[in-house]
Structure formats: structure tokens, C-alpha cells
Amino acid sequence: MSERPVTIITGSSRGIGRAAAELLAARGHRVVISSRNQESCEQVAEAIRGAGGEAVAIACHVGQDEQLEALVDGTVEAFGRIDHLVLNAASNPVYGPSDNVDRKAFDVIMHNNVFGSLRLSHLVRPHIAGAGGGAVVLVSSIAGLLGNRVIGAYGMSKAAENQLVRNLALEFGGDGIRVNGVAPGLIRTDFSRALLADERAVKHFEATTPLGRIGEPDDIARVIAFLVGPDSAWLSGQIITADGGITVTGGF
Ligand code: NAP
């Protein structure tokens, strides 16, 4: 690839998405910063440009079809091509037992997390194919691999996302597009703030995790960089668990 790769990262105004965008920009990618809030995306893009990288900000709610189309069109307009997509944004409006999950909340979770990822993947496919192939990386969760008493519906969406990775790997492989996922364990971001505010839960996680600590956004950003990069050229349809080892203990 002669030109610098162009990579869209959804949900990159903070947390794992931001860490991935900053790492990829530092490694020479031209990055598209995206979340529902244009101003916070602009701030991240500005910080990346300030550090010598290349970035644009395009707000997009992953549950809204027209905004997904505008994200793809805006990327092509800004950079002329798309090489990689990181499907990182996700919704989880419910915390608690599954009888707290009404139809509306369930629909939001499944629509944003699963259908939004499916739709955006199809929108970028011809562009990545036209650029000679590339990678789609989905940020899943160990909540899609294990039973969970408090984020069960979200876990169901992550399990569906894992299957989406396998299906798209089959469908996109002929275009030279690799599709893989990373399933993080607990990572210190706004998303996990409620859990991390509980000191007892944090101590429990640290004690249960073989590597003895809570994950940081950079721990996942590095796996994402591996999955878009040439070192994973022979990987497709895989979900890499990156959790400090907690799943081998049987979970939480
Ligand atoms: P975070 O720090 O809360 O960041 C979430 C990002 O997504 C923000 O940029 C947010 O910006 C954006 N976003 C939220 N809803 C969106 C929507 N509907 N459309 C577009 N953008 C949206 O969360 P995170 O922990 O980095 O989570 C990123 C991914 O990691 C998610 O897929 C999550 O399921 C997964 N994950 C996280 C953990 C963890 O412990 N943190 C563990 C396993 C998996 P706006 O609010 O401005 O839109």
C-alpha cells in the first residue's frame, strides 16, 4: 500500500476508540474520529493533528442509517479512500437482571450494536475492496462469551457480534478484507465507570485476573493495531480475547 491507510474508528471520542485512533495515527494511519458528538470528535482530531498525525472528525450515531452513509461519504471526501474500519461504538442502556430489559431497551442494544455494525461494514466494503483490501475489526466483549447477571442483554448483542465477525469474514474474504474481533475484559473507561466505582468489585477483579490488574484502553488499542496491521495477514473470522486472562479462571 503506497498511500497512508485511511481508518474509520467509531466511538473514538474517548475510551478504547480514542486510544486506538491515537495509536493508529501515530503508526501512520489517517484516522476518522467519530461519535454522536461532533465537538468531542473535533477535540480528539485536533489533538492528533497537534501530535503530527492526520485526522478528521465526522459525527455519526451508529444506529442511524443516514449518518452511517454520511460517515462513509465524508471519509471518501476527506481522504479519497477507505482501508480499514474499527467497529467500536456500542450501547448498553441497562444494568441489572434481565427482567429489567424491556423491548425498547433490547431493540436499542441489538440495533446499535449488531445491525449498526452490519450496515456500516457493508457500506465500507466496496471502498476497502477498491483500495485493494484491508481489515474490519469489531470491538466485542467477554460479556459475549460468558453468562452475566447484570449486563445480559448487552452480552447477547456481543455474542451476536461475534457471529457477525465470522459471517462477514466469509462474505468479505474474496475482496481481500479480513474481519476479526477483540473481546476485552474489564477496561478502565467511562463505559465501566459504575462498576469501577465499587471498590470491592475492583479488588475482586484484580484478585481474579491472572495478570492482577484492570485493563487500560491502550491494552485493547494494541490488539486493534495488530488486527488491522500486516502481522495478522492470515487471520480472519477470529475473536481475540484480551482480558488479562480472567476468562481462563471461569469468569467473574
Ligand atoms: P466509552 O469510553 O464509554 O466510549 C464510548 C464511545 O462510543 C464514545 O466515543 C461515545 O461517544 C461513543 N458512542 C456511544 N454510543 C454511540 C452511538 N450510538 N453511536 C456512535 N458513537 C457512540 O466506552 P469504551 O469502554 O471505550 O467502549 C468501547 C467498546 O468497548 C464498546 O464496544 C464496548 O462494548 C467495548 N467493551 C468495553 C469494555 C470496558 O470494560 N470498558 C469491556 C468490554 C468491551 P458519544 O457518547 O459522544 O457518542
Side-chain angles (χ1 to χ4, degrees):
M1 192 180 298
S2 49
E3 276 187 79
R4 294 168 70 194
V6 174
T7 304
I8 299 173
I9 304 109
T10 65
S12 44
S13 63
R14 55 178 193 268
I16 293 168
R18 178 176 184 157
E22 289 176 341
L23 180 61
L24 292 174
R27 293 187 180 181
H29 291 238
R30 295 177 282 172
V31 293
V32 179
I33 306 303
S34 189
S35 83
R36 291 168 298 183
N37 184 305
Q38 181 70 24
E39 203 184 316
S40 53
C41 293
E42 294 283 7
Q43 285 168 9
V44 175
E46 186 53 46
I48 288 173
R49 289 193 292 267
E54 217 176 320
V56 295
I58 304 175
C60 167
H61 185 315
V62 294
Q64 306 281 335
D65 277 5
E66 22 357 304
Q67 294 189 29
L68 293 172
E69 287 160 22
L71 172 61
V72 172
D73 292 347
T75 301
V76 174
E77 199 177 307
F79 292 130
R81 61 188 284 151
I82 303 173
D83 296 277
H84 309 297
L85 168 66
V86 181
L87 296 160
N88 169 70
S91 299
N92 181 27
V94 183
Y95 190 85
S98 56
D99 57 0
N100 285 354
V101 182
D102 61 21
R103 185 176 297 278
K104 192 162 167 240
F106 190 80
D107 287 349
V108 165
I109 293 169
M110 297 304 279
H111 179 80
N112 291 351
N113 300 0
V114 186
F115 187 74
S117 297
L118 170 70
R119 182 82 192 112
L120 184 54
S121 298
H122 279 287
L123 287 170
V124 298
R125 178 185 185 174
H127 297 284
I128 301 182
V136 174
V137 177
L138 186 146
V139 180
S140 179
S141 171
I142 61 168
L145 305 172
L146 301 166
N148 195 298
R149 293 179 198 280
V150 287
I151 49 173
Y154 163 81
M156 289 181 227
S157 78
K158 292 292 173 179
E161 287 183 10
N162 294 347
Q163 185 58 24
L164 177 66
V165 164
R166 291 183 279 268
N167 290 347
L168 292 182
L170 269 180
E171 292 188 47
F172 288 14
D175 287 337
I177 304 173
R178 299 181 300 105
V179 185
N180 291 292
V182 52
L186 184 61
I187 306 296
R188 201 180 302 280
T189 68
D190 286 353
F191 204 79
S192 54
R193 197 174 31 197
L195 192 58
L196 293 173
D198 179 346
E199 219 173 287
R200 270 184 44 208
V202 170
K203 283 203 166 21
H204 171 72
F205 267 101
E206 287 170 347
T208 321
T209 302
L211 292 181
R213 64 174 174 85
I214 306 297
E216 299 296 335
D218 270 346
D219 289 317
I220 305 306
R222 283 192 289 270
V223 181
I224 293 170
F226 165 68
L227 290 174
V228 300
D231 288 344
S232 60
W234 193 230
L235 259 75
S236 200
Q238 302 305 307
I239 313 294
I240 309 291
T241 300
D243 65 348
I246 198 167
T247 47
V248 300
T249 68
F252 326 111

